Structures are given as structure tokens and as C-alpha cells.
């Protein structure tokens, strides 16, 4: 069953993520005069469902779209939304490179074999679209290099490029008056390498940027929104794991033993997963672990 719209704050609505076909959170930030949509959804069906739910809530003046990064699940619904889109210039470049691609099973499988498509994404595209691969890529209309401020009428959104392991073009959207930070997927690992990974330098640089925002709610696209406390707990875990990765040169067993002793318990699944991403980052990429 499709999820209904939820109200995150007085001026922000969002639709739950849907793991079955990797649909991310899509959101509407409603100013006095205009509404900004965060991410286009992973298909025309996803975008259309969101628009219908916004209409039920009488959300009007849908004015602009912002893309947090180029990945299919955040951008392929753009044609259905049919409104001007803002994104980082690298997001535009990446989407333009997708325009000539075809999306049949054969072509997706070939790109996975070549290493230019993630097998996880290929499977999810097949599942979301079934046999009807009506995919039209619409590159964004307005691009920025570093940051951009959008005034929706008594609600201000600051869009900033933050990068990170997941996708180099990742940008966040900070809704100043509501203290909400939309993180897109920037805190997730790189999924386009053989092994999903985090790298020490990129995670530290990313956390330095994210911790500058005075938010009380943090929205990562594929999970339910986090409180400040929950976000800081995860950010601290990542910082700690980054230090352990450097100290042990990415020795997985040593990292697990050390962290278990420090915590006084066995590791939870999320801790072990994040630790494994750091280990993969040392052993499968060229990025040196150095401080
Ligand atoms: Zn992504």
C-alpha cells in the first residue's frame, strides 16, 4: 500500500521512503508565496502519486524542484513534475550523460557487467518500471557551483554542495526557519564501486560541513527523519570509525575488537555495516588513508 503524505513541520510535507523499489523521500517546502519540491522521485508514477497527495492537502504554487544529486531514484520523476529544476552543475552534467542511455534489461545488465551501473540500482529500476521503461531524463534548468538561496516567502532554503562518498555532486537543502536539513543520500556510502565504501577524508570533510547547520531535524532520503540527537549519534559513530580506520589501517578484526571493548558490548548491525564500509574504502579505492 502506498504511504500517505506526512507533515514534518508546519511548512514541510513529505512522502515516506519505499524500500521495495528504493523510492526516496520526496518533500514539499511551502513558503507564503511558493512551494519548492525536494527531489523528483524515481519514476513518473512516484512523482504523480506525490503530486496527487499534495493536491489533497491543497498545497499550491508548486514552483520549483531541487535535486539533491543525479541518481535515478531522485531524478527520473522530473518530467512528470514539469517545473523548473535547480541542481549543482555536476548533477546536470551527470544527468546529461544519461540521456543517450537505454534502459532495457539487456542494456542495464551490460552496464552492470562493465561496472558503469550499480547492480542494486539496475535491479530496482527493473522492479519500479516493470516492462514499461518510459524513462525521459530532464536535466535541471538552473545550476549553481557552491550554494544558492531560495526565498519562498517567509521560508528560506539554502542549497549547498557538500559532496561526499555517495555521489560527488551531493547537495543539501537547509530550511532555515524550520531548522530542517535535507541530506539527500550524502551520508550513505559509495554504491558505484565494487564494494560499497566510505573514505576517511571525504567523511570527515562532509561531517565538518553538515555540523555547521543549526538544524533540529535531519532527513536522509531512504529512512525516516532523524532528531538532532539521532543525527549526532550517527555522525559521532562515523567520526569514531574514521579515526579507528586510520589507527588500524583498516584492519577489520582489530576495528571490531577495539570498538566492542570501547562500547562494552557486541556491535549493532548499523555499526558493523558502517565499519565494513570504512574497511572497504581502504582496501578498494585509491584514496589514501592519511591525515
Ligand atoms: Zn543516491
Amino acid at each position: 500500500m502506498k504511504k500517505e503524505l506526512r507533515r514534518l513541520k508546519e511548512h514541510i510535507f513529505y512522502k515516506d521512503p519505499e524500500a521495495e523499489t528504493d523510492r526516496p523521500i520526496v518533500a514539499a517546502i511551502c513558503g507564503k508565496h511558493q512551494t519548492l519540491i525536494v527531489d523528483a522521485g524515481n519514476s513518473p508514477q512516484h512523482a504523480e502519486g506525490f503530486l496527487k497527495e499534495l493536491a489533497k492537502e491543497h498545497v499550491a504554487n508548486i514552483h520549483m524542484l531541487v535535486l539533491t544529486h543525479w541518481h535515478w531514484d531522485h531524478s527520473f520523476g522530473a518530467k512528470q513534475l514539469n517545473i523548473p529544476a535547480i541542481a549543482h552543475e555536476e548533477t546536470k552534467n551527470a544527468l546529461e550523460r544519461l540521456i543517450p542511455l537505454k534502459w532495457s534489461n539487456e542494456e542495464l545488465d551490460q552496464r552492470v557487467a562493465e561496472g558503469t551501473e550499480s547492480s542494486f540500482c539496475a535491479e530496482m529500476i527493473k522492479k519500479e518500471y516493470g516492462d514499461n521503461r518510459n524513462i525521459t531524463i530532464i536535466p535541471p534548468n538552473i545550476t549553481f557551483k557552491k550554494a544558492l538561496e531560495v526565498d519562498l516567502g517567509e521560508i528560506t532554503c539554502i542549497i549547498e554542495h557538500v559532496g561526499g562518498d555517495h555521489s560527488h555532486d551531493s547537495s543539501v537543502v537547509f530550511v532555515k526557519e524550520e531548522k530542517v536539513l535535507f541530506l539527500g543520500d550524502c551520508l550513505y556510502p559509495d554504491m558505484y564501486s565494487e564494494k560499497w565504501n566510505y573514505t576517511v577524508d571525504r567523511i570527515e570533510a562532509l561531517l565538518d560541513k553538515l555540523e555547521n547547520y543549526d538544524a533540529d531535524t535531519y532527513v536522509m532520503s531512504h529512512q525516516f527523519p532523524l532528531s538532532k540527537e539521532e543525527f549526532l549519534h550517527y555522525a559521532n559513530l562515523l567520526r569514531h570509525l574514521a579515526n579507528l580506520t586510520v589507527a588500524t589501517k583498516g584492519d577489520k578484526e582489530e576495528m571490531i575488537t577495539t570498538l566492542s571493548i570501547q562500547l562494552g558490548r557486541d556491535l549493532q548491525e548499523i555499526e558493523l555495516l558502517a565499519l565494513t564500509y570504512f574497511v572497504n574504502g581502504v582496501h578498494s579505492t585509491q584514496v589514501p588513508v592519511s591525515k
Side-chain angles (χ1 to χ4, degrees):
M1 200 179 118
K2 301 285 183 241
K3 309 288 191 304
E4 298 292 321
L5 210 59
R6 292 181 197 268
R7 195 165 206 150
L8 184 64
K9 294 270 180 145
E10 192 188 343
H11 296 93
I12 303 175
F13 293 92
Y14 74 98
K15 192 164 155 44
D16 283 341
E18 295 170 64
E20 308 80 57
T21 57
D22 206 32
R23 287 180 169 184
I25 283 181
V26 282
I29 304 164
C30 309
K32 195 175 177 189
H33 306 304
Q34 268 111 20
T35 294
L36 175 71
I37 302 292
V38 181
D39 281 333
N42 72 352
S43 64
Q45 291 79 1
H46 188 198
E48 195 185 347
F50 182 46
L51 287 177
K52 277 187 184 157
E53 286 172 27
L54 288 175
K56 275 193 232 161
E57 292 289 337
H58 308 290
V59 171
N61 300 324
I62 295 175
H63 184 62
M64 249 184 224
L65 161 70
V66 57
L67 298 175
T68 57
H69 62 302
W70 66 270
H71 289 169
W72 77 281
D73 49 323
H74 298 253
S75 61
F76 282 13
K79 184 169 187 283
Q80 191 70 25
L81 291 177
N82 194 26
I83 46 176
I86 306 169
H88 189 259
E89 59 182 12
E90 285 183 33
T91 306
K92 181 176 183 176
N93 293 341
L95 283 170
E96 282 177 337
R97 283 196 291 273
L98 296 189
I99 291 172
L101 300 185
K102 300 212 162 43
W103 303 91
S104 67
N105 287 354
E106 295 69 33
E107 272 139 323
L108 278 169
D109 294 343
Q110 194 190 333
R111 291 204 291 277
V112 171
E114 286 166 357
T116 55
E117 179 59 85
S118 124
S119 59
F120 174 76
C121 295
E123 287 316 304
M124 289 295 167
I125 290 169
K126 290 175 190 173
K127 237 176 160 181
E128 171 69 28
Y129 285 85
D131 294 328
N132 180 23
R133 310 268 164 92
N134 57 337
I135 295 171
T136 308
I137 313 281
I138 309 285
N141 314 85
I142 302 154
T143 53
F144 64 95
K145 285 180 195 295
K146 201 171 175 293
L148 190 70
E149 194 169 306
V150 180
D151 185 345
L152 302 169
E154 296 174 14
I155 292 289
T156 322
C157 301
I158 296 161
I159 306 165
E160 190 196 1
H161 175 242
V162 292
D165 285 303
H166 181 79
S167 193
H168 194 250
D169 61 323
S170 282
S171 302
V172 296
V173 182
F174 180 57
V175 189
K176 223 184 263 174
E177 293 78 1
E178 297 281 42
K179 292 193 158 203
V180 172
L181 186 63
F182 287 94
L183 296 160
D185 289 354
C186 74
L187 264 181
Y188 296 127
D190 168 16
M191 297 163 61
Y192 279 79
S193 295
E194 197 187 344
K195 290 179 176 176
W196 292 12
N197 67 81
Y198 282 138
T199 57
V200 169
D201 293 350
R202 287 201 196 111
I203 280 289
E204 288 181 340
L206 177 62
L207 291 174
D208 286 347
K209 284 184 186 163
L210 298 182
E211 285 167 3
N212 281 332
Y213 286 102
D214 180 27
D216 63 23
T217 307
Y218 295 78
V219 185
M220 289 169 70
S221 294
H222 294 275
Q223 61 199 72
F224 293 101
L226 304 175
S227 66
K228 190 178 195 84
E229 194 187 1
E230 289 166 327
F231 168 75
L232 288 177
H233 183 78
Y234 191 59
N236 289 338
L237 170 69
L238 293 179
R239 282 209 188 269
H240 190 63
L241 286 171
N243 290 338
L244 263 182
T245 305
V246 174
T248 64
K249 298 190 169 64
D251 182 319
K252 190 171 182 179
E253 291 313 312
E254 201 184 332
M255 286 174 72
I256 292 173
T257 309
T258 309
L259 189 58
S260 305
I261 291 169
Q262 288 166 340
L263 295 171
R265 57 166 169 78
D266 287 341
L267 300 192
Q268 293 166 354
E269 198 184 332
I270 189 168
E271 291 160 346
L272 193 56
L273 207 55
L275 183 151
T276 305
Y277 294 150
F278 275 104
V279 172
N280 292 344
V282 173
H283 299 293
S284 69
T285 74
Q286 296 78 40
V287 179
V289 180
S290 60
K291 296 274 292 177

